[in-house]
Amino acid sequence: MAISVALVDDHAVVREAVAGMLNAQDEITVVGQAGSLSDGHTLVDRLLTTPQEGRLVAVIDVTMPDGSGLSQLPVRFSGTPRQDNLDVYLTGPFSLFGREHQLITGMTLSQ
């Protein structure tokens, strides 16, 4: 099954690095990139109304100058076409007991 990915991050270097890693996978294609939350909202809305082969996944940065990617959660379940699930994952470095660690957490919302 093909997976189409939209990347939304205010750091171009991060977008390009993630796009390169994803495009290297056989069944994943980055179909759009945006550098702000407002541009990302427009991009995702456009992609949701454009026929896609397989699944559409949006990778949205949590902290951007014009808002939080988490603000997109409530609006993604409304509109057409209807979305029936949403996965959210957060990662970040932290120190504990003098050692560096990487935190990875996530959740899935389904209707």
Side-chain angles (χ1 to χ4, degrees):
M1 172 185 289
I3 300 172
S4 299
V5 178
L7 296 175
V8 182
D9 195 302
D10 56 316
H11 296 97
V13 172
V14 172
R15 284 195 318 271
E16 290 303 319
V18 172
M21 289 186 291
L22 293 174
N23 282 327
Q25 305 305 310
D26 289 337
E27 296 199 13
I28 299 175
T29 303
V30 175
V31 293
Q33 297 184 34
S36 69
L37 191 59
S38 60
D39 289 346
H41 188 79
T42 302
L43 171 66
V44 171
D45 283 346
R46 181 176 52 81
L47 291 171
L48 284 173
T49 59
T50 304
Q52 301 289 326
E53 195 176 308
R55 296 216 178 251
L56 174 63
V57 174
V59 177
I60 304 173
D61 188 5
V62 174
T63 306
M64 290 185 280
D66 61 336
S68 170
L70 295 177
S71 68
Q72 296 301 300
L73 298 181
V75 298
R76 292 297 96 201
F77 281 116
S78 62
T80 304
R82 188 96 176 137
Q83 180 174 329
D84 59 3
N85 70 323
L86 181 66
D87 294 321
V88 178
Y89 294 94
L90 304 172
T91 65
F94 69 99
S95 296
L96 182 66
F97 303 119
R99 296 179 63 195
E100 291 297 313
H101 301 274
Q102 186 73 19
L103 174 68
I104 301 172
T105 186
M107 69 178 191
T108 298
L109 304 172
S110 297
Q111 290 185 329

